[in-house]
């Protein structure tokens, strides 16, 4: 057991900004920072599907009601498809193109993971934008020997993870990024070399808004070199302070603030199974893989957790099964966690194939946090449904659900559906919503309607139900309340399509 | 109970029935409801759309002459949810309902209504029957609303018992009976009908889904549990309702004795002086007009025609109609607004005398029955075109003269078409937005028509999926369903009394515009007067061109002074040199001109009519051209037929000829012939030509014509289909085509200037118009901040007798009209010497300055575009500095723009360039690729191989050309017409549709002065253009 800490540092809940302490004034002394930009030009494609990169694929999302291409694989690009093009147009150019949903959240999560991964090279990592990381590596040069070693290591490791990269290193973060955008892999150590290295970069690549680019094109400037010929006060007058400051950043004439990446106090990771998983054994294997990744993260960040949320996605993205596993105390012991998971997944019944597994943890604690008693931890505020006099009942339900599994303790709720067999549902959080309660319907429906083989006399009806024609469960029936010879009141129907009689329920 | 089994099924009248004119609620057309009610033997049916009478005319037409009574009514839901139906007992009751709808609709936003209890207090309860519709939920039945309704309609109120085989029918009926006995208000049966047959239930659910923005699977209790809201057979109703309740419906129906045929239109009276009757005033005006038109005296033919027309007009009491149109036209003339009547009105000598039309009856073979016919008993239809920029003045005049409560625009019913249907139905069936989008977008002009399985697979769909089957089934049903009302392009209805008592009026989308709830066909069916006040761009252009000419011509010239039948003009037309000319400037027209070689006005009339789908599909073009070329004519089976067809060499080209043939050869009356014309227009959609076939063939046989001739004439009539063109229409258009040709021929600068100042209009954009003007020797000068005005102007150098066309600020992208006018106004004192000064003096903002810089309008101040932009960006408004702003004198190093950059920016910011044609810059490269200039194609013999490259300025895929695509290419030497056969188009569709700069290899085809390049290989050279963006005009 590790020593308890006396003074606890605040949790790294947010990114923090860090301004370089020393202004680059003395060029001869060399710049204080060296920024390595790692650009992931194909990140969205890479995470969309394992084969996406090697086939004609695009990712797309809806913009102003139109589905447009957001990223393309090299093969797709060869067919003429480009970013911003409507997906229909892409189909016209390449009928066999694979279109994947552009999942910005997944891209952001992956970039966050990569930023955390990159912290092994330096403590100063910045998540520059949606596809670029900036690493301040001046201090790491000693440790790794030389820049080339760092770059080789980064490139090869990321390649193993399936990521294409463009790396550039300069004393200016903006310049490093700009060079990667231009596709240039440059190593510049001296600020004096920046001007000549950047001079040929076209205006179109600059990290400024489209309007500014258009206005720069209007005055005939084509490259940064053209811009440097113009007097700064005049540029400031026309394009504003921020723009001139940006130019100064590029040449490291002015210090630049970069947000320092800090691991978030939440964790999200996922695995995608294009073939679909349908048995618990295979699923558990994948769950363990994710958990191992998570534990690794916990160790690196010195955190732990007591609550896990697994989302099992079925075919449609909205169709998911959520599993919450709460431990008695926050921990990161692999064996213990695995044993809990095995018990849980052993009794789990999958309702269909799983195509994506997601682990979300949003309560991270420092590893040596105080332990809670079993009693305290049994009830979470979030799971409490009822209040007041029902509290005791709810506590009992919670307790039973935790012990037996939530699927085994359910209630009945009414659903707005004309079809009797779809007009109720079992759910773990049954509500008291009974406004549509119909006394003329039996409380108990037969699990399945059966043929009516006895003589009955009709008491009331018909109630005609013809609906759900759009689904396999369409119905076309006349319902009656009837009485059999034994005096039982039955709920029967005449199937108007099959022209057959069925018994569907019994009145008490 | 036993007695009811033996008793005959009681009669029934459906009193609560909504059609699809209760938008997205009703699932059947009004006609379908009426027809089904007839089949079921109902005694009557009421069409009671929600706060609307939009569908009643269609129902009226379906019920006309049938064994059913149509009751006119409407359903209302008050602000407090009181739900009731009003049925018109008589004309006054109808007027009340119409007024109530108007009142409710006028206070609410377009498409909705708002009605409060207080709004009903003024109704006279004797003229309507009211049915209270109790709420569906038994628990919310509140007798208070019923008591209130009973106070409003003390004598004619019923409680409607609507039973739909739901679980609470029995209880509901019991409860309503109790209510009835408590309140002494009688109970009647009603169907709450939303569809004519139960098979429409899926469509009804889909419509509900569309209305609520939900998928059908999410509708839950928002839709009906079953399909019982349909027109049920009487026997079935007898099982559901007590006999008494059914009998009550027929009793109510007998109380309602109003038919739409009773609506009598009353013409506005202020158009006739007190001392005259309408007819005598019309006769007087016609006599005046006759003197003006024929100062030398009128021929007997014309005089007889006038008498004939006046007699018919008197018989049918249409004089006020002519006077109303005359009044509007007089107003336009008094304001110097060019206008011209067209369409069937051009058949009337009266219209010619009144100055409504300009077609001289002596030059034409008129058929007055095409305009007014006794049998048709419909008001004539006079369309008057006004200058498009000044039509609003005419509209305001009408509103002012007759008042807003007597005038409104006719409606246009916007219906579901394939794309909108696919979108809405797809969404309602739960398809994702991108799927729906993919389906809807693929039905564009390129793919036109229905899906086939391969196409669906190509779009990523399984054609056998049940959802897709449901989609296609529902789409085919929903096509033609009304979606909402919009305003007609210019059809005004004007009445003597309150219009709202004739037809409900509601708000249009445009502020201050109101529309009635009926569209053109409804008005025609009921016989209401409609005056079409339409907008025509060419009239604006002609008026402007004449005014420019009058600035330099020694003698002022007006429209009527344009010399007729000028050979020079026809020579130009025969060369197909008609860019910008009205009607005969399209690609197809230009291909026909050198073949048909119009040499007089009537040839132009034929030219306009012949290049139409009707004559093309009816296979009339080639026989006509052959006769014309060879100086031959068809063999006429009789003198009478010869008289009809001789003017078109024996080939029927116009609708009027078909009508005349039916009259002279098959003994049709003029009115019957007009019915034939209407049937021709609709047979492809609705059929109905068969009854005329028998009559026509029999009539011709009786008159001694052989079977083969009769069959040939009938098949030509069928070929005409929808697209037959009336001679009278063509005659009006030919006048404008000639006038615009004359302007182009003798005053190209003024004509181009006028066209540029009337954009958008016509077939060609500013760029093509300017290129054409330059080709005709017009000097075109660039936009200059020190010389241009908002409009393009002519710069006249009287000393050198030279005229140049100066482009105006209106072409500058993103420059407001106000800023442009302020520039020319301020400049009057002294010209501008710098950009900063321009900003200071005119008070322009930076965006305006940059727009001017982008259009190269500051070149005279700055030297070039880059410097102009630099100075515009650096200019500071006076208000932001304490002292007078200093001119920016910094000498900065800015690159001079290259020619291609300038050209790109010209196209981007002005839409045209006066510099070299972009293709000229690529000429060396293109010669290297063995591509000719388009002009050089004429040097290649017929059948020779050639290659050309040019900007794609137009793609056309005419419906008549069975998949052939026509592409117009433009280079520095002119234009080339490329024909792409379907096979090539399919194989190279990507290149064909996406290229901006296209290189075509193919075979030269020459025929009577028309040159086509038949494409074999297409190559996209757009990459050569860089940033240059040329927008092609793609037409169907």
């Amino acid at each position: 057991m590790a020593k308890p800490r006396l003074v606890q540092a605040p949790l790294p809940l947010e990114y923090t900004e860090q301004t370089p302490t020393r202004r680059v004034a003395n060029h001869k002394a060399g710049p204080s920072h060296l920024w390595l930009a790692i650009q992931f030009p194909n990140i969205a494609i890479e995470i969309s599907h394992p084969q996406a990169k090697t086939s004609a694929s695009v990712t797309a999302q809806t913009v102003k009601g139109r589905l447009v291409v957001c990223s393309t694989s090299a093969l797709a690009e060869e067919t003429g498809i480009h970013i911003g093009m409507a997906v229909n147009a892409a189909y016209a150019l390449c009928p066999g193109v694979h279109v994947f949903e552009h999942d910005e959240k997944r891209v952001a999560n992956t970039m966050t993971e990569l930023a955390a991964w990159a912290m092994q090279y330096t403590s100063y990592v910045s998540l520059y934008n949606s596809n670029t990381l900036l690493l301040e590596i001046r201090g790491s040069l000693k440790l790794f020997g030389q820049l080339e070693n760092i770059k080789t290591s980064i490139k090869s490791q990321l390649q193993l993870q399936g990521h294409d990269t463009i790396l550039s290193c300069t004393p200016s973060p903006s310049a490093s990024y700009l060079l990667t955008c231009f596709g240039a892999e440059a190593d510049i150590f001296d600020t004096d070399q920046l001007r000549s290295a950047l001079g040929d970069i076209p205006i179109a690549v600059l990290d400024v808004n489209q309007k500014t680019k258009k206005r720069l094109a209007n005055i005939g400037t084509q490259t940064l070199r053209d811009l440097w010929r113009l007097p700064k006060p005049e540029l400031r007058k026309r394009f504003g302070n921020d723009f001139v400051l940006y130019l100064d950043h590029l040449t490291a004439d002015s210090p630049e603030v970069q947000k320092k990446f800090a691991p978030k106090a939440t964790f999200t990771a996922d695995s995608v199974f294009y073939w679909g998983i349908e048995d618990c054994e295979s699923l558990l294997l994948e769950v363990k893989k994710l958990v191992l990744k998570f534990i690794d993260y916990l160790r690196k960040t010195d955190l732990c957790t007591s609550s896990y949320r697994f989302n099992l996605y079925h075919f449609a993205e909205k169709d998911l099964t959520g599993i919450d596993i709460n431990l008695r105390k926050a921990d990161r012991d692999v064996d213990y966690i695995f044993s809990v998971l095995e018990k849980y997944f052993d009794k789990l019944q999958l309702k269909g194939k799983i195509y994506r597994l997601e682990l979300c943890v949003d309560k991270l604690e420092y590893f040596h946090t105080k332990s809670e008693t079993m009693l305290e931890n049994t009830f979470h505020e979030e799971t409490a449904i009822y209040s007041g006099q029902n509290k005791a009942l709810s506590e009992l339900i919670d307790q039973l659900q935790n012990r037996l599994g939530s699927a085994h303790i359910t209630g009945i709720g009414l659903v707005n559906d004309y079809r009797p067999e779809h007009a109720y549902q079992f759910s773990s959080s049954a509500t008291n919503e009974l406004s549509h309660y119909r006394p003329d319907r039996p409380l108990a429906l037969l699990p399945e309607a059966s043929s009516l083989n006895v003589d009955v006399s009709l008491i009331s009806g018909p109630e005609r139900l013809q609906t759900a024609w759009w689904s396999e469960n369409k119905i076309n029936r006349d319902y009656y309340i009837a009485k059999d010879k034994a005096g039982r009141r039955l709920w029967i129907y005449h199937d108007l399509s099959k022209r057959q009689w069925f018994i569907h329920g019994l009145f008490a | 109970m036993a007695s009811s089994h033996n008793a005959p099924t009681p009669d029934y009248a459906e009193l609560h029935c909504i059609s699809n004119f209760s938008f997205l609620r009703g699932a059947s057309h009004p006609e379908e409801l009426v027809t089904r009610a007839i089949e079921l033997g109902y005694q009557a049916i009421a069409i009671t759309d929600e706060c609307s009478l939009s569908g009643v005319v269609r129902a009226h037409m379906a019920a006309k002459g049938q064994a059913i009574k149509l009751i006119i009514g409407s359903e209302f839901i008050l602000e407090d949810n009181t739900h009731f139906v009003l049925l018109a007992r008589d004309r006054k009751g109808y007027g009340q309902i119409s007024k109530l709808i108007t009142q409710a609709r006028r206070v609410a936003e377009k498409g909705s209504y708002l009605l409060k209890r207080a709004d009903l207090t003024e109704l006279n309860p004797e003229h309507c029957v009211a049915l209270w519709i109790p709420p569906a939920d038994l628990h919310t039945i509140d007798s208070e609303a019923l008591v209130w309704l009973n106070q409003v309609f003390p004598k004619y109120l019923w409680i409607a018992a609507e039973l739909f085989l739901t679980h609470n029918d029995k209880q509901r009926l019991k409860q309503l009976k109790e209510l009835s006995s408590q309140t002494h208000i009688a109970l009647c049966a009603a169907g709450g009908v939303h569809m004519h047959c139960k098979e429409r239930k899926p469509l009804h659910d889909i419509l509900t889904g569309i209305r609520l923005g939900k998928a059908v699977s999410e509708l839950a209790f928002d839709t009906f549990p079953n399909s019982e809201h349909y027109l049920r057979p009487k026997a079935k109703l007898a099982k559901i309702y007590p006999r008494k309740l059914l009998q009550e419906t027929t009793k109510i129906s007998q109380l309602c004795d109003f038919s739409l045929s009773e609506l009598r239109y009353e013409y506005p009276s202020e158009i006739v002086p007190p001392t005259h009757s309408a007819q005598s005033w019309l006769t007087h005006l016609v006599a005046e007009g006759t003197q003006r038109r024929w100062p030398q005296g009128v021929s007997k033919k014309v005089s007889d025609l006038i008498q004939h027309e006046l007699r018919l007009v008197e018989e049918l009491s249409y004089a006020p109609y002519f006077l109303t149109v005359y009044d509007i036209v007089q107003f336009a003339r008094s304001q110097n607004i060019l206008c011209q009547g067209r369409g069937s009105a051009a058949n009337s000598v009266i219209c010619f005398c009144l100055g409504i039309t300009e077609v001289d009856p002596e030059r034409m073979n008129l058929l007055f029955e095409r305009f007014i016919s006794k049998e048709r008993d419909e008001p004539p239809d006079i369309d008057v075109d006004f200058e498009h920029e000044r039509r609003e003045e005419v509209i305001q005049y009408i509103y002012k003269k007759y008042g807003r409560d007597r005038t409104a625009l006719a409606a246009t019913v916007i219906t579901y078409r394939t794309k909108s249907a696919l979108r809405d139905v797809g969404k309602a069936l739960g398809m994702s937005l991108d799927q729906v989008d993919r389906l809807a977008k693929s039905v564009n002009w390129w793919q036109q028509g229905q899906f086939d399985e391969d196409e669906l697979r190509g779009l990523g769909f399984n054609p056998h999926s049940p959802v897709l089957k449901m989609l296609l089934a529902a789409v085919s049903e929903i096509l033609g369903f009304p979606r909402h009302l919009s305003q007609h392009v210019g059809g005004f209805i004007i009445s003597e009394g309150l219009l709202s008592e004739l037809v409900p009026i509601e708000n249009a989308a445009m502020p201050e515009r109101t529309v009635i709830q009926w569209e053109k066909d409804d008005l025609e069916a009921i016989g209401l007067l409609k005056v079409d006040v339409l907008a025509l761009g060419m009239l604006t252009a002609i008026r402007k061109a004449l005014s420019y000419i009058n600035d330099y011509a020694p003698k002022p010239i007006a429209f009527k002074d344009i010399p007729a039948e000028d050979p020079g003009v026809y020579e130009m037309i025969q060369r197909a040199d008609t860019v910008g000319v009205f009607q005969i400037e399209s690609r197809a027209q230009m291909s026909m001109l050198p073949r048909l070689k119009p040499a007089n006005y009537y040839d132009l009339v034929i030219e306009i009519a012949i290049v139409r789908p009707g004559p093309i599909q009816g296979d009339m073009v080639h026989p006509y051209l052959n006769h014309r070329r060879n100086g031959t004519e068809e063999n006429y089976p009789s003198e009478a037929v010869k008289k009809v067809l001789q003017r078109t060499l024996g080939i029927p080209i116009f609708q009027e000829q078909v009508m005349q043939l039916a009259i002279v050869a098959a003994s049709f009356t003029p009115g019957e012939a007009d019915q034939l014309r209407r049937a021709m227009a609709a047979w492809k959609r609705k059929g109905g030509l068969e009854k005329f076939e028998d009559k026509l063939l029999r009539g011709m046989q009786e008159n001694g014509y052989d079977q083969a001739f009769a069959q040939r004439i009938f098949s030509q009539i069928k070929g005409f289909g929808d697209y037959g063109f009336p001679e009278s229409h063509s005659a009006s258009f030919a006048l404008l085509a000639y006038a615009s040709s004359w302007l182009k021929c003798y005053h190209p600068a003024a004509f181009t200037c006028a066209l540029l100042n009337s954009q958008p209009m016509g077939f060609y954009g500013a760029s093509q118009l300017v290129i054409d003007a330059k080709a005709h020797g017009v000097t075109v000068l660039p936009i200059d901040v020190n010389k241009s005005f908002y409009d393009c102007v002519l710069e006249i150098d009287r000393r050198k007798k030279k005229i140049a066309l100066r482009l105006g600020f209106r072409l500058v992208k993103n420059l407001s009209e106000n800023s442009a006018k302020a520039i020319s106004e301020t400049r009057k004192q002294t010209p501008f010497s710098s950009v900063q000064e321009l900003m200071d003096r005119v008070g322009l903002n930076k965006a305006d300055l940059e727009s001017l810089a982008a259009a190269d309008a500051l070149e005279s101040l700055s030297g070039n575009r880059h410097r102009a932009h630099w100075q515009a960006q650096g200019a500071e408004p006076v208000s932001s500095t304490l002292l007078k702003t200093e001119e920016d004198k910094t000498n900065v190093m800015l690159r001079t723009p290259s020619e291609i950059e300038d050209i790109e920016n010209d196209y981007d910011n002005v839409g045209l360039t006066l510099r070299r044609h972009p293709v000229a810059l690529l000429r060396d490269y293109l010669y290297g690729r063995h591509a000719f200039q388009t002009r050089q194609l004429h040097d290649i013999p017929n059948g020779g191989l050639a290659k050309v490259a040019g900007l794609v300025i137009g793609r056309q895929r005419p419906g008549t050309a069975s998949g052939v695509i026509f592409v117009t290419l433009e280079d520095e030497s002119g234009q080339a017409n490329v024909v792409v056969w379907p096979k090539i188009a399919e194989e190279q569709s990507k290149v064909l549709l996406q290229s901006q700069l296209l290189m075509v290899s193919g075979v030269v085809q020459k025929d009577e002065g028309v040159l086509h390049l038949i494409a074999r290989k297409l190559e996209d050279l757009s990459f050569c253009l860089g940033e240059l963006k040329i927008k092609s005009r793609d037409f169907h």
Side-chain angles (χ1 to χ4, degrees), chain A residues 66-67 88 93 215 218-220 222 234 237-239 416-418 438 440 463-464 466 469-470, chain B residues 165 167 202 205 220 223 225-228 236 434 438 470 850 866 869-870 873-874 888 894-895 990:
Chain A
R66 217 169 61 121
L67 198 63
N88 275 343
L93 292 176
R215 294 180 71 226
N218 282 342
I219 57 167
Q222 292 174 336
E234 293 301 324
K237 186 174 164 189
R238 285 159 177 83
F239 299 96
N416 289 355
D417 200 312
Y418 287 123
R438 296 257 307 269
D440 56 344
E463 178 190 353
R464 180 159 294 175
Q466 297 165 308
W469 48 268
W470 54 84
Chain B
L165 295 187
H167 65 285
D205 286 345
T223 185
N226 57 38
S227 53
E228 290 300 298
K236 189 170 180 183
D434 72 290
R438 230 183 304 156
M470 284 179 217
E850 293 208 39
H866 291 164
H869 271 295
W870 178 258
Q873 288 166 2
D888 182 6
L894 292 174
R895 225 170 23 85
K990 190 180 138 195

Side-chain angles (χ1 to χ4, degrees), chain B residues 236-299:
Chain B
K236 189 170 180 183
L237 290 168
K239 283 184 187 166
I240 296 169
Y241 291 98
R243 193 174 187 84
K244 189 172 175 308
L245 265 60
L246 296 175
Q247 284 166 343
E248 203 68 14
T249 62
T250 57
K251 197 173 127 192
I252 296 170
S253 107
Q254 278 153 17
L255 286 172
C256 299
D257 206 17
F258 167 74
S259 160
L260 283 179
S261 328
E262 286 174 44
L263 291 186
R264 282 285 162 265
Y265 180 72
E266 288 162 17
Y267 294 95
S269 57
E270 51 265 74
I271 42 172
V272 184
T275 51
H276 275 275
S277 69
Q279 184 68 26
S280 71
W281 184 236
L282 177 68
T283 312
H284 169 77
L285 290 174
V286 170
E288 268 184 11
T290 313
Q291 290 237 318
R292 200 173 51 251
R293 292 288 192 191
W294 293 279
Q296 315 300 331
V298 64
S299 71

Side-chain angles (χ1 to χ4, degrees), chain B residues 792-953:
Chain B
C792 303
V793 293
L794 295 183
E795 289 185 0
I796 303 158
D797 186 338
R798 293 182 197 281
R799 205 164 44 84
K800 292 184 184 164
K801 291 189 178 167
K802 276 191 173 170
I803 297 168
L805 167 58
R806 170 74 67 181
L807 299 181
F809 294 127
R810 65 182 300 142
L811 295 168
V812 177
K813 200 166 140 190
N814 298 331
L815 183 69
S816 73
E817 186 174 344
N818 284 344
S819 300
K821 286 182 172 163
I823 293 170
S824 52
E825 197 54 36
T826 315
R827 197 181 58 206
K828 278 182 186 165
Q829 305 145 16
T830 139
F832 306 110
S833 60
S834 74
V835 175
Q836 181 64 56
E837 186 200 331
L838 175 67
M839 182 182 234
D840 293 347
R841 281 173 56 196
V842 186
L844 295 180
N845 57 32
K846 272 196 181 185
D848 285 336
L849 282 184
E850 293 208 39
S851 299
L852 287 165
D856 211 13
L858 304 180
E859 199 246 356
S860 59
L861 304 180
S862 309
N864 67 42
R865 241 191 198 106
H866 291 164
R867 298 196 70 82
H869 271 295
W870 178 258
Q871 287 167 8
Q873 288 166 2
E876 294 289 347
V878 182
S879 55
S880 71
T881 54
L882 290 171
L883 300 168
K884 191 176 181 318
T885 41
E886 281 293 311
E887 184 60 27
D888 182 6
K889 298 246 167 44
T890 330
N891 196 12
V892 292
M893 291 168 65
L894 292 174
R895 225 170 23 85
T896 309
S898 67
E899 187 180 12
I900 186 73
E901 278 178 314
D902 267 332
I903 292 173
E904 278 169 15
N905 277 305
D906 284 345
Y907 275 107
D908 214 16
N909 299 292
V910 186
L912 60 94
T913 185
L914 298 178
R915 295 171 222 271
R916 282 200 292 168
H917 194 279
V919 177
L921 306 183
L922 303 169
R923 187 44 64 196
D924 287 345
Y925 168 76
L926 293 174
Y927 277 148
R929 301 282 314 268
H930 310 293
F932 296 110
Q933 289 189 357
T934 55
R935 195 199 297 138
Q936 292 171 307
L937 286 178
H938 293 276
D939 305 333
I940 295 168
N942 188 26
L945 292 173
K947 195 194 270 184
V948 290
L951 299 178
V952 178
I953 58 165

Side-chain angles (χ1 to χ4, degrees), chain A residues 38-40 46 53 114 117-118 121 133 151-167:
Chain A
I38 312 174
Q39 192 180 67
F40 299 85
E46 285 159 357
K53 214 160 80 172
L114 287 167
W117 168 86
Y121 294 97
L133 297 177
K151 283 175 68 176
T152 311
S153 163
I154 288 176
K155 245 191 151 58
S156 58
Q157 286 205 43
L158 287 173
Q159 206 161 17
L160 278 177
Q161 292 180 39
H163 297 301
D164 294 339
T165 50
I166 304 171
L167 271 56

Side-chain angles (χ1 to χ4, degrees), chain B residues 206-226:
Chain B
I206 286 171
L207 291 168
T208 310
I210 297 171
R211 179 162 48 87
L212 302 178
K214 290 180 177 178
V216 282
S217 54
E218 295 164 0
L219 283 176
F221 294 160
D222 287 329
T223 185
F224 302 134
N226 57 38

